[in-house]
Amino acid sequence: MKLLKSFIFLLLIAISSEMVVAQNYVIPIGRRYIMRRYNPMTYPLYGDQIRYYDAIGDTVIDGNLYTFIYSDYYGESNFIRWDGTKCLRYMPETQRDTLMFDESWEVGDTMSIYREQIITEIGYIEGRKYWKGSSGSRWFQGVGQVSRPPFLLENYNNSHVTTLICCVEPNGDTLYVNRNILHLIQTGISSLTSDNLTISPVAGGLSVNLGTVTDWSATLYNSNGVTVAQQQGNGSEIFLPTDSKGTHILVVKAGGKLVKKKVLLR
């Protein structure tokens, strides 16, 4: 009987864990946001820049499941989850959630995304609901911002304009597309691979071999989104010194490609 009670208790814990995952998991791994970025003061002198935000993994923090979204430009961690209609971002510095947007807001409500503003318009484009603020910013249901970085970063440079070109799911489905600037994507959407990346946990850190000599930058995050090691340089070998243990996310930018991998350090 005692053994049966123990089994039932463990089963309930497992079911409860699955419920937490099912409630909070919204953004699928592999979703990509492709954005245009330029400075109105210098454009077209320096032209357009194409920036990427990728959903590269998930992690549990304080019992909540977050999707880890990585920006190839800012190199920061974005931990995002939905709680009902509320989109929340976990801030490692404060160890708490920040409300990004509430999809139950109506016209006249005050929203704080980017800056405090009033919702002036709600409508639908290609069947997807959107909200427009008095500053001109727009949020699309289940997608995020389209007139700024999707989950606004605090160190955002206001001298630049950043606009979402398209948001694409792992299976190729397009959630959002701005057809006016779609032509800026010259080579289409391609999957990044890590076939040539060799990762070896070693004493005192992590060794990474790129397989070719190139400029690179590498960042190692722990499961709470805190940067535990960061290096940049040139060559085929990377060493990230750290004594951190457990599951980590390695992000390497090299040769124009962005590679992400989960790494277990013992």
Side-chain angles (χ1 to χ4, degrees), residues 136-263:
S137 63
R138 287 193 299 164
W139 176 281
F140 270 70
Q141 188 173 34
V143 175
Q145 276 260 62
V146 300
S147 47
R148 295 275 171 174
F151 304 103
L152 183 68
L153 301 175
E154 280 62 31
N155 66 347
Y156 181 72
N157 186 345
N158 287 318
S159 66
H160 287 78
V161 174
T162 306
T163 307
L164 183 61
I165 301 175
C166 61
C167 176
V168 183
E169 294 286 58
N171 63 1
D173 289 347
T174 302
L175 296 182
Y176 171 88
V177 61
N178 185 334
R179 301 192 183 280
N180 293 326
I181 54 175
L182 186 61
H183 65 277
L184 295 175
I185 306 176
Q186 301 294 329
T187 58
I189 301 166
S190 58
S191 298
L192 298 176
T193 64
S194 54
D195 294 340
N196 297 325
L197 202 66
T198 303
I199 300 174
S200 306
V202 296
L206 187 69
S207 174
V208 182
N209 192 300
L210 301 174
T212 184
V213 176
T214 184
D215 293 328
W216 52 262
S217 63
T219 306
L220 188 66
Y221 300 92
N222 66 17
S223 59
N224 288 324
V226 177
T227 300
V228 297
Q230 192 171 40
Q231 299 285 349
Q232 62 181 15
N234 178 273
S236 61
E237 296 184 355
I238 303 171
F239 177 71
L240 294 169
T242 180
D243 57 1
S244 180
K245 307 297 182 183
T247 301
H248 293 69
I249 296 176
L250 172 67
V251 179
V252 177
K253 185 178 181 181
K257 291 190 174 183
L258 192 69
V259 177
K260 297 82 60 178
K261 271 195 171 184
K262 281 188 176 181
V263 179

